[in-house]
Amino acid sequence: MRMIFVNLPVADLGRSKAFFEALGFSINPQFSDETAACVVVSETIFVMLLTHDKFRQFITGEISDAHAATEVLTCLSAGSREEVDDLLAKALANGGKAWKPIMDMGPMYGASFQDPDGHVWEVMYMDMAAMEQGG
């Protein structure tokens, strides 16, 4: 089984942990301390929130300012349109910012937001049955 660990620099670790917990994700304390928090998205997807000092230990160069430039788009699948809307609402109610308008392309429906550090998250529902019928 392959897993993915998305590593993100955060300015305020406590604020970022609270944001992702408000979205419904849990924190794995086994891989968390005062410099890092492991957000469990699924059994195979984890987001490592790292303080700037901790993040610098793994990179060369500067930490990009995600508020000024988009460094990555992280897209999560959703099981329904309602789940897309629910996650967007939770993000906006807990310090996230809307990023682009809702995308409604019939069988594909998505939303996007920035977390408190400016990292862009997309949530996408794909109605596979409708997509198969449409060719």
Side-chain angles (χ1 to χ4, degrees), residues 88 91-93 95-102 111-115 119-121:
L88 176 61
L92 299 180
K97 293 181 183 174
W99 192 60
K100 291 185 112 183
I102 296 282
S112 58
F113 59 88
Q114 289 181 299
D115 68 22
H119 306 292
V120 177
W121 294 85

Side-chain angles (χ1 to χ4, degrees), residues 4 6 8 20 25 41-42 45-47 70 72-78 83-84 87 99 103 108-113 119-126:
I4 185 169
V6 177
L8 297 176
F20 285 98
F25 302 123
V41 176
S42 75
I45 303 171
F46 306 88
V47 177
T70 304
V72 67
L73 297 173
T74 304
C75 184
L76 299 174
S77 63
E83 187 178 350
V84 170
L87 197 58
W99 192 60
M103 183 184 74
M108 290 180 53
Y109 180 79
S112 58
F113 59 88
H119 306 292
V120 177
W121 294 85
E122 296 179 315
V123 186
M124 183 68 62
Y125 168 67
M126 293 177 278

